[in-house]
Amino acid sequence: MQVLENWSQKILRVALVLFLAVATAFELQAADPGWGIVIHGGAGATLKENMTAEKERALQLKLSEVLNTGHTILENGGSSLDAVQAAIRIMEDSPLFNAGRGAVFTHEGTNEMDASIMDGRSRNSGAVAGVQLIKNPINLARLVMEKSPHVMMAGKGAESFAAQHDVKTAPAEYFYTEPRWDSLQKHLKQQNLKDPLETERDHKFGTVGAAALDKDGNLAAGTSTGGMTNKRFGRIGDSPVIGAGTYANNATCAVSATGHGEYFIRSVVAYDISALMEYKGMSLQKASDYVINDKLKKFGGSGGVIAIDKHGNVAMPFNTAGMFRGYVHEDGEVVIRLYNN
Amino acid sequence: MQVLENWSQKILRVALVLFLAVATAFELQAADPGWGIVIHGGAGATLKENMTAEKERALQLKLSEVLNTGHTILENGGSSLDAVQAAIRIMEDSPLFNAGRGAVFTHEGTNEMDASIMDGRSRNSGAVAGVQLIKNPINLARLVMEKSPHVMMAGKGAESFAAQHDVKTAPAEYFYTEPRWDSLQKHLKQQNLKDPLETERDHKFGTVGAAALDKDGNLAAGTSTGGMTNKRFGRIGDSPVIGAGTYANNATCAVSATGHGEYFIRSVVAYDISALMEYKGMSLQKASDYVINDKLKKFGGSGGVIAIDKHGNVAMPFNTAGMFRGYVHEDGEVVIRLYNN
């Protein structure tokens, strides 16, 4: 009897271990979200106070349209690059965001836009800085990546490259939006009262970006912005800087940033998240949280990132009052958040 | 007797251990080189063949002047930022390098220069891209760092910032050097024969840079370049991109890069060396060797870096046939190398 009991106990124990192993394997598989897209429409300090129910609804509708478009592309076997580009293009076409049509005004009353895109498979990338009258800067960034030996082009030079490739332009009126113009006027008035450097620091955010993982396991990320209201001197922020505002690498993750660009450049934010994953073995969530809510915050930089890793896990940390953000995976369930919830 | 012998053995053993401990401490101290400066005048694929004894001598004299100037500044208690800026300024003033006076010509026959500088103490940084007729782009980069809330300025905007701060300009003739002009003509001719993209890849290097550690333990790095001969479309390389061409952080190291800029941007070269030191505990030598001779090489990128860590150790890896480089420490012994030796 003693022997039999020992045997039955052993069998039970082995069965339990086997069951746990299989259950864990299933759980791990279920925890891997697979292909999907994550987007942002900017992070800011005083978002909720400035928001009306109407604007909230408009934002939610637009972000939902963006995510559904990305989802359709990925579901049909499209590339993460195509999904990212399409997502950003829709936000550039909307006056709701500080990119493309809704770009903020420079000190001179013009719109100078920056954008970048990166392919996680080849780590190819394209970026444009300070371009005017380009309807969709993200399209131009992709052309720089694919049709030139360069990564980054700026100003008139980038515009003449655009002209050679028949990139769609729009007249200055297209980029005129009343709230952005009023914002510049307010900044210009304030500037007469206080230190101009202080005024320039008192900026608003609204950059857009997207990061995606496609069915083939390829990651991509992109970012587009009008920069800072009242910016001067051909200022370039982090959005067109590979490693700072945008980074993608199939080995780790794809990241797009939004916030006070100078701090993001000095902290090499997007690549730092990838480096922490690769060199320290951190998860995407842990690495991006650490970079945004610890390192960047202590450094004095405000903003956030959206990111997706090679398993489809998404992270959307920010250290401001809010960040317009959302994601969708294979199941099509669209998740959208505006504030700290 | 037995007791006495045991005691004398014990005393001997303790004395030996103490001796070894003190010797190790001295060796460690002796191995820490302390303050110093390391510089480069560009890396390239076909340097030795194109070199005359006269040009070699001119290069060695100039690099020696640069290192001695840096040494004097550091010896007198000057900051690493001042030493880096002065070192780069001398190379910008010489027609021997592709920066400042010796900048290569763009496709349009102009000189569009990029430069950046970074302070390892505050991680403050300044960069300019695509500026014309600025005598010393490195001076302008430092002004951007210290006199503006921005990190990066480009083109006409950066030039108007320069004008506001009375930055010295020079007429177009100042930047005319016969070899650079001939090089452009050669490129333009070749372009009619082969694929223009291929021609643009067939570039020459000659960027300059410096990295230093001062007596206060502060690191700094800077880079300046004319970019690629025959470059078009407002192309921006890695030199003005913080994280790619320049990076400095008192916690790790200061780095300046030279090479095929597009690959350096996509690999975030300068920051990657710092990240490997911080996250993987690699030494400066190991981290910079790994990035240049393993990661970058496999990726298809050619070039090199010079770097100095917080202890004053220097590294100068490159994966091309040669890199003009040198360093000096407290003892004033100037070391200069041109090729793979």
Side-chain angles (χ1 to χ4, degrees):
Chain A
M1 274 304 279
Q2 183 64 30
V3 173
L4 260 182
E5 239 173 72
N6 274 351
W7 270 104
S8 63
Q9 272 176 353
K10 266 187 199 162
I11 287 166
L12 263 175
R13 227 176 297 145
V14 169
L16 187 67
V17 168
L18 275 174
F19 172 78
L20 282 174
V22 171
T24 308
F26 264 96
E27 196 192 24
L28 281 179
Q29 207 176 20
D32 187 345
W35 62 267
I37 182 166
V38 56
I39 60 169
H40 70 79
T46 52
L47 288 174
K48 206 162 188 173
E49 296 92 284
N50 297 337
M51 195 66 76
T52 60
E54 193 191 6
K55 195 179 170 193
E56 252 180 36
R57 197 170 149 62
L59 270 167
Q60 264 158 343
L61 272 174
K62 187 53 74 175
L63 292 175
S64 165
E65 178 194 341
V66 171
L67 287 171
N68 284 320
T69 302
H71 185 267
T72 303
I73 290 169
L74 295 172
E75 189 165 50
N76 292 333
S79 71
S80 50
L81 270 176
D82 284 345
V84 161
Q85 187 182 358
I88 291 174
R89 200 165 43 215
I90 296 173
M91 291 189 276
E92 285 177 341
D93 288 344
S94 160
L96 290 169
F97 309 100
N98 174 19
R101 188 171 167 205
V104 297
F105 287 94
T106 66
H107 185 71
E108 291 79 17
T110 58
N111 309 95
E112 289 185 12
M113 298 167 288
D114 305 333
S116 67
I117 194 163
M118 186 161 185
D119 176 354
R121 189 166 52 105
S122 59
R123 280 183 288 148
N124 244 327
S125 41
V128 290
V131 292
Q132 292 184 32
L133 309 183
I134 300 295
K135 189 170 175 284
N136 290 104
I138 195 68
N139 291 0
L140 183 54
R142 182 148 183 195
L143 276 172
V144 170
M145 175 170 87
E146 291 177 350
K147 304 284 180 202
S148 94
H150 300 320
V151 164
M152 197 171 184
M153 296 183 183
K156 297 283 162 229
E159 288 160 19
S160 72
F161 176 79
Q164 280 195 12
H165 288 85
D166 296 321
V167 169
K168 215 168 173 177
T169 56
E173 310 88 80
Y174 170 81
F175 300 94
Y176 176 87
T177 52
E178 210 178 290
R180 304 295 191 201
W181 184 254
D182 293 347
S183 175
L184 173 63
Q185 300 318 311
K186 211 177 95 190
H187 271 79
L188 291 173
K189 254 182 227 156
Q190 283 177 340
Q191 206 166 286
N192 297 328
L193 302 174
K194 37 175 185 159
D195 174 12
L197 295 193
E198 280 309 310
T199 313
E200 292 195 53
R201 273 190 203 111
D202 182 27
H203 50 274
K204 294 286 173 296
F205 306 129
T207 299
V208 305
L213 173 70
D214 62 29
K215 286 182 176 175
D216 295 329
N218 290 318
L219 288 164
T223 310
S224 181
T225 191
M228 285 161 62
T229 295
N230 196 30
K231 71 179 174 184
R232 283 187 288 178
F233 308 126
R235 178 255 186 186
I236 297 178
D238 64 313
S239 300
V241 176
I242 298 301
T246 300
Y247 187 73
N249 186 340
N250 273 8
T252 51
C253 60
V255 182
S256 168
T258 169
H260 195 157
E262 278 71 13
Y263 288 86
F264 281 67
I265 293 176
R266 292 159 64 196
S267 302
V268 202
V269 163
Y271 179 67
D272 200 25
I273 293 169
S274 171
L276 283 164
M277 291 175 71
E278 188 177 350
Y279 300 148
K280 297 284 266 184
M282 282 190 191
S283 69
L284 178 75
Q285 187 66 53
K286 203 175 162 189
S288 56
D289 259 342
Y290 177 55
V291 168
I292 296 300
N293 286 310
D294 189 326
K295 291 180 80 171
L296 190 69
K297 205 172 173 180
K298 283 176 186 159
F299 196 43
S302 53
V305 296
I306 52 99
I308 186 165
D309 70 13
K310 58 182 174 177
H311 307 292
N313 298 302
V314 301
M316 313 187 289
F318 55 98
N319 62 30
T320 47
M323 179 168 81
F324 305 151
R325 62 203 188 278
Y327 63 87
V328 65
H329 283 109
E330 184 171 356
D331 61 15
E333 198 192 323
V334 162
V335 174
I336 290 167
R337 299 276 182 274
L338 302 184
Y339 313 114
N340 201 354
N341 52 3
Chain B
M1 274 306 277
Q2 182 64 34
V3 173
L4 261 183
E5 239 173 73
N6 272 351
W7 270 105
S8 63
Q9 272 176 355
K10 264 184 198 163
I11 287 167
L12 263 174
R13 226 177 297 147
V14 168
L16 186 69
V17 168
L18 275 174
F19 172 78
L20 283 173
V22 171
T24 310
F26 265 95
E27 196 190 27
L28 281 178
Q29 206 177 20
D32 187 345
W35 62 267
I37 182 166
V38 56
I39 60 168
H40 70 79
T46 52
L47 289 174
K48 208 163 187 172
E49 297 92 283
N50 296 337
M51 195 65 75
T52 60
E54 191 190 8
K55 196 180 169 191
E56 251 179 36
R57 196 168 149 65
L59 270 167
Q60 264 157 343
L61 271 175
K62 188 51 75 177
L63 292 176
S64 166
E65 178 193 340
V66 170
L67 288 171
N68 284 321
T69 302
H71 186 266
T72 304
I73 291 170
L74 295 172
E75 189 165 49
N76 293 332
S79 71
S80 50
L81 270 176
D82 284 345
V84 160
Q85 187 183 358
I88 292 175
R89 201 166 41 214
I90 296 173
M91 292 189 276
E92 284 177 341
D93 288 344
S94 160
L96 289 169
F97 309 100
N98 174 19
R101 188 170 167 207
V104 297
F105 286 94
T106 66
H107 186 71
E108 291 79 15
T110 58
N111 309 95
E112 290 184 12
M113 299 167 287
D114 305 333
S116 67
I117 194 162
M118 187 161 185
D119 176 355
R121 189 165 53 104
S122 59
R123 279 183 288 148
N124 244 329
S125 41
V128 290
V131 292
Q132 293 184 31
L133 309 183
I134 300 294
K135 189 170 175 285
N136 291 105
I138 195 67
N139 291 1
L140 184 53
R142 182 146 183 197
L143 275 172
V144 169
M145 176 170 84
E146 291 178 349
K147 303 285 181 202
S148 94
H150 300 321
V151 163
M152 195 171 186
M153 295 181 184
K156 296 284 162 229
E159 288 160 19
S160 71
F161 175 80
Q164 280 196 11
H165 289 84
D166 295 320
V167 169
K168 216 169 174 177
T169 56
E173 310 89 79
Y174 171 80
F175 299 95
Y176 176 86
T177 52
E178 209 177 290
R180 304 295 190 200
W181 184 254
D182 293 347
S183 175
L184 173 64
Q185 302 315 313
K186 211 177 97 189
H187 271 80
L188 291 173
K189 255 181 225 157
Q190 283 177 339
Q191 206 165 286
N192 298 328
L193 301 174
K194 39 176 184 159
D195 175 10
L197 294 194
E198 280 310 310
T199 312
E200 293 196 52
R201 272 190 204 111
D202 183 26
H203 49 275
K204 294 286 174 295
F205 306 130
T207 299
V208 305
L213 172 70
D214 62 30
K215 286 183 177 176
D216 295 329
N218 290 318
L219 289 164
T223 310
S224 180
T225 191
M228 286 161 61
T229 295
N230 196 29
K231 71 179 174 183
R232 284 189 287 180
F233 309 127
R235 177 255 186 186
I236 297 178
D238 64 313
S239 299
V241 176
I242 298 301
T246 300
Y247 187 73
N249 187 340
N250 273 8
T252 51
C253 60
V255 183
S256 168
T258 169
H260 195 156
E262 278 70 13
Y263 288 85
F264 281 67
I265 293 176
R266 291 159 64 197
S267 302
V268 201
V269 163
Y271 180 67
D272 200 25
I273 293 169
S274 171
L276 284 164
M277 292 177 70
E278 188 176 350
Y279 301 148
K280 298 284 266 184
M282 283 190 190
S283 69
L284 178 76
Q285 188 65 54
K286 203 175 162 188
S288 56
D289 258 341
Y290 176 55
V291 168
I292 296 301
N293 286 310
D294 189 327
K295 290 180 81 171
L296 189 70
K297 206 171 173 180
K298 283 177 185 159
F299 196 43
S302 53
V305 295
I306 52 100
I308 186 165
D309 70 13
K310 58 181 175 177
H311 307 293
N313 298 303
V314 301
M316 311 187 290
F318 56 98
N319 62 30
T320 48
M323 179 167 81
F324 305 150
R325 62 203 187 280
Y327 64 86
V328 64
H329 283 110
E330 184 171 357
D331 61 14
E333 198 192 324
V334 162
V335 175
I336 291 168
R337 299 276 182 274
L338 301 184
Y339 314 113
N340 201 356
N341 53 1

